Amino acid sequence: MRRLLFALISLVLLATAMLFWLGLKADRAPHGRAPLVAAHLTDPVQRGAYLTVMGNCRACHTAAGGTAYAGGRRIATQFGDFYSPNITPDKTTGIGSWTSDDFWRAMHEGRGKDGAFLYPVFPFPHYTRLSRADTDAIFAYLMDLPAHSLENKSHQISFPFNQRWLMLIWRALYFRPGVYEMDAAQSPEWNLGAYLGTGLAHCASCHSPRNALGAAVSDHRSGGGVALGWYAPALDADREAGVASWSEPEIIEFLQSGRTSHAAALGPMAEVVFESTQHWSTSDLQALAKYLQSMPDQPAMAPQRRWTADLDVREQRMFAGSEIYAEHCAGCHGDAGVDPNGDILALDGNRAVTMASSINPIRTVLYGGYGPGTRGNPQPYGMPPFHMTLSDTEIADVLSFVRGSWNNQAGPVSEHEVRRQRTGPLW
């Protein structure tokens, strides 16, 4: 009995030691062989400004109507509300007392100046791929900003997730620091695109399925994630947001202007285009496009929701939806889901409408669809919100009609799904 007890205690101690070792483990090769972004910009502050735009840092670290980079933006998650910190060089409320080593530690290891574990709502699992040269340039730019005093807000997250020490377990399970390593089997352009997509631009931070603890699923199955209430469709699935079948100019056009003849950026993606990708150089966009095009099309993870076997119910809902569509939608989108003038994207055959997740169509009808105003599309068409005009049942019916009409063969939308999305617009 004593031997068994001793063995159990030894196993517990060994598991605890392993947990601490993995959770606190530092990167033994922190410099890596990552591509150098914007090498032609020799001034660190100027290059850091460009890298900061590529990382879309201002979007998260700026509250609505607030000072840029002074923090305070609420980021809603299933664990509660997080608030971005002040990253201006204010010495009291910002990062003015930080060194470049402190900043590298936050970006690469996900730990603050005081050593505290950072929550992965800050995408350090992706930023860890950045080279030290790039984090130093970003830090130089942030230190060159005007200091702004603004106290950081406390996160409002539920127990036990508000116990920061539990991040030790999360890190042991899901986080390994490491700078991006070039793939010798791929071209330099592809490697740059992979570095940008998986690291600096952290596309996978939104466009990846997450488990119950908020960690990205790593079994290479297709799937998207939920970002700021919207569904970020899978980048490796043609039925969602895959671009393997797109031409390189189409991908660049979408990332520069926010739309093509068959796709438009809405919700958080519109913000990404407005704040970030429209400002990228063409060569960097070409590299990202090459990387995105290389993703093989993956089979579906989530099946389409099926119509009820009761044909009378389906006919009733489709008829009700057609009446609502004729009154509120056909004027812009056309009787057959295609704008005769070609100015507004077709609903017929639109994968944003027909993908398995109905979150984005619901939120577009509820709160409107607004593309980014960009140099390539300075006056985008916008769709008005209907959350005050249509009931949950009416929105469910009209979307079920759109998803099941013309050449569309998607499943219906339920009243419950609409009700769940009445959480307010993006901001």
Side-chain angles (χ1 to χ4, degrees):
M1 185 66 181
R2 288 184 177 179
R3 289 183 177 179
L4 178 60
L5 181 60
F6 178 77
L8 289 175
I9 292 174
S10 298
L11 286 174
V12 170
L13 291 175
L14 179 62
T16 302
M18 181 65 71
L19 176 70
F20 272 84
W21 181 71
L22 289 173
L24 298 173
K25 184 181 178 183
D27 185 12
R28 292 185 177 180
H31 300 295
R33 296 187 300 111
L36 183 62
V37 183
H40 65 286
L41 299 176
T42 56
D43 177 66
V45 173
Q46 187 181 8
R47 199 169 79 87
Y50 179 64
L51 296 175
T52 303
V53 169
M54 296 186 86
N56 199 22
C57 306
R58 186 173 70 170
C60 284
H61 288 278
T62 307
T67 300
Y69 301 103
R73 179 172 183 176
R74 182 177 73 93
I75 302 172
T77 73
Q78 68 267 38
F79 308 108
D81 293 339
F82 292 85
Y83 291 89
S84 59
N86 184 342
I87 56 172
T88 72
D90 182 73
K91 291 186 180 297
T92 304
T93 64
I95 59 172
S97 64
W98 287 37
T99 66
S100 59
D101 288 337
D102 295 328
F103 189 73
W104 164 255
R105 191 182 193 190
M107 297 284 279
H108 187 68
E109 297 185 19
R111 303 186 70 172
K113 175 180 169 63
D114 59 358
F117 298 131
L118 301 179
Y119 287 106
V121 68
F122 170 63
F124 67 83
H126 303 278
Y127 288 154
T128 190
R129 294 177 171 87
L130 270 62
S131 68
R132 180 65 191 256
D134 283 353
T135 65
D136 282 352
I138 293 171
F139 182 70
Y141 169 70
L142 294 177
M143 291 300 100
D144 195 58
L145 293 172
H148 184 81
S149 178
L150 182 67
E151 291 289 342
N152 292 312
K153 294 183 179 181
S154 298
H155 302 317
Q156 301 298 314
I157 50 181
S158 57
F159 182 85
F161 306 107
N162 59 358
Q163 304 299 302
R164 197 180 287 261
W165 67 269
L166 290 175
M167 278 300 301
L168 179 70
I169 301 174
W170 191 95
R171 294 166 63 92
L173 292 173
Y174 305 117
F175 177 59
R176 300 292 179 272
V179 171
Y180 178 86
E181 290 286 346
M182 300 276 280
D183 185 343
Q186 300 288 349
S187 68
E189 187 179 30
W190 184 95
N191 274 286
L192 175 59
Y195 177 70
L196 296 175
T198 65
L200 183 57
H202 57 283
C203 306
S205 181
C206 292
H207 293 277
S208 291
R210 301 276 169 172
N211 63 21
L213 294 179
V217 174
S218 58
D219 60 3
H220 306 293
R221 293 180 300 169
S222 172
V226 176
L228 298 176
W230 289 67
Y231 177 71
L235 296 175
D236 58 353
D238 186 62
R239 73 192 182 284
E240 292 200 2
V243 293
S245 62
W246 289 26
S247 68
E248 184 179 286
E250 283 181 310
I251 300 173
I252 294 174
E253 179 189 4
F254 177 81
L255 294 173
Q256 283 182 332
S257 70
R259 69 163 292 158
T260 68
S261 60
H262 50 79
L266 301 175
M269 190 62 202
E271 184 178 72
V272 170
V273 173
F274 180 77
E275 293 278 1
S276 181
T277 57
Q278 70 161 321
H279 305 291
W280 290 27
S281 70
T282 300
S283 60
D284 288 334
L285 289 174
Q286 287 172 335
L288 181 61
K290 185 173 291 294
Y291 169 69
L292 294 175
Q293 284 181 315
S294 71
M295 293 184 178
D297 189 38
Q298 299 292 334
M301 279 183 66
Q304 279 280 2
R305 187 167 175 268
R306 300 294 182 184
W307 279 94
T308 176
D310 190 332
L311 294 179
D312 289 338
V313 171
R314 175 172 182 171
E315 289 182 4
Q316 290 170 8
R317 292 198 62 197
M318 289 291 285
F319 177 77
S322 69
E323 294 285 288
I324 298 167
Y325 181 88
E327 180 179 356
H328 296 285
C329 314
C332 291
H333 293 287
D335 293 333
V338 178
D339 173 24
N341 300 318
D343 297 323
I344 297 173
L345 291 181
L347 299 178
D348 183 17
N350 189 325
R351 65 183 182 178
V353 173
T354 61
M355 69 178 69
S357 172
S358 59
I359 290 176
N360 293 352
I362 291 172
R363 294 192 72 84
T364 302
V365 174
L366 281 172
Y367 305 115
Y370 305 104
T374 58
R375 290 189 299 272
N377 188 27
Q379 294 181 316
Y381 283 93
M383 175 173 161
F386 287 92
H387 67 279
M388 297 287 288
T389 307
L390 300 177
S391 68
D392 295 344
T393 300
E394 289 172 322
I395 293 175
D397 285 344
V398 71
L399 284 176
S400 296
F401 168 75
V402 170
R403 283 162 60 87
S405 295
W406 316 303
N407 293 306
N408 297 340
Q409 298 180 5
V413 175
S414 70
E415 181 181 346
H416 173 68
E417 289 175 296
V418 177
R419 189 180 305 114
R420 288 181 59 187
Q421 297 305 319
R422 284 191 181 268
T423 57
L426 176 62
W427 281 96

